[in-house]
Amino acid sequence: AMNAEKKGEKYTSHAEASWEAGKKMQLDTEMTLSNRGSRNFQGSTRFTSPFEKFENIFLSATHQDNGQQYNSNAELSWAPRSKVQGTLTGKFNSLMDLDGTVSLFTPLSRSPVVLRQKHAITRKQATSHTEFEYSNKKTVLDISGKDDSADRKSTRLNSITQ
């Protein structure tokens, strides 16, 4: 059996298949899209089955974006205490001017893996700051460059691991 429905900005669907007594698979999805001039959405999918390691799989995602700042979250889980979570946040004016953070948490890590990037590029100057953090260790990379005139250019590179 299968059905789908739309109410306002919300879409839902349900599909299921069954065979022998007690053997059934289901797939349920739900998504909300904001149509009010924004780029926001949230959604989830759940799959259940009698198959080992595929009994209950859940995926959810949200995204909020006002054109300059964004925040996205996603999670995938497939067993008790087995999930991957990710977050992307920041400000995005253009590829030449951005500031963002990506965080990822997996069952293999005791702490999240975090990547932060901030850079700004103009006709006369470029700066970039990158941080990578994992397992209480942090690496920082700073790069900058200037073009003051036709004959004066400078570049600086700095890297620190803590």
Side-chain angles (χ1 to χ4, degrees):
M2 187 171 158
N3 63 40
E5 183 176 20
K6 179 183 183 301
K7 286 184 179 176
E9 298 175 342
K10 187 175 185 177
Y11 299 83
T12 59
S13 68
H14 173 80
E16 70 178 61
S18 56
W19 57 105
E20 304 172 19
K23 302 283 184 180
K24 178 168 76 169
M25 290 189 306
Q26 289 185 175
L27 180 67
D28 292 294
T29 60
E30 184 177 294
M31 182 167 48
T32 304
L33 298 171
S34 180
N35 296 326
R36 296 186 197 114
S38 68
R39 295 171 269 195
N40 299 340
F41 76 88
Q42 69 181 57
S44 64
T45 300
R46 182 175 302 278
F47 175 74
T48 56
S49 79
F51 304 118
E52 186 177 343
K53 297 187 181 180
F54 296 96
E55 294 91 353
N56 192 2
I57 299 172
F58 180 72
L59 173 66
S60 68
T62 62
H63 179 75
Q64 296 173 319
D65 182 350
N66 67 9
Q68 290 187 355
Q69 288 190 312
Y70 55 87
N71 183 11
S72 298
N73 296 289
E75 179 180 310
L76 171 66
S77 62
W78 59 93
R81 297 183 305 277
S82 295
K83 68 180 171 182
V84 174
Q85 293 175 290
T87 301
L88 174 65
T89 59
K91 297 176 183 175
F92 180 82
N93 295 318
S94 73
L95 288 175
M96 305 300 220
D97 182 14
L98 66 86
D99 182 356
T101 301
V102 176
S103 299
L104 184 65
F105 191 84
T106 72
L108 303 175
S109 61
R110 295 183 192 271
S111 61
V113 176
V114 179
L115 176 66
R116 292 179 188 88
Q117 175 67 46
K118 179 177 185 173
H119 75 255
I121 301 171
T122 65
R123 292 185 76 212
K124 297 282 184 184
Q125 180 173 313
T127 59
S128 180
H129 176 81
T130 304
E131 296 179 14
F132 178 75
E133 194 173 335
Y134 176 68
S135 190
N136 297 323
K137 292 185 173 82
K138 184 185 215 178
T139 300
V140 177
L141 177 65
D142 288 309
I143 302 172
S144 63
K146 280 186 180 179
D147 184 0
D148 292 335
S149 66
D151 61 345
R152 247 181 94 194
K153 296 175 178 32
S154 65
T155 304
R156 187 176 70 95
L157 173 65
N158 186 29
S159 177
I160 300 170
T161 300
Q162 300 171 335

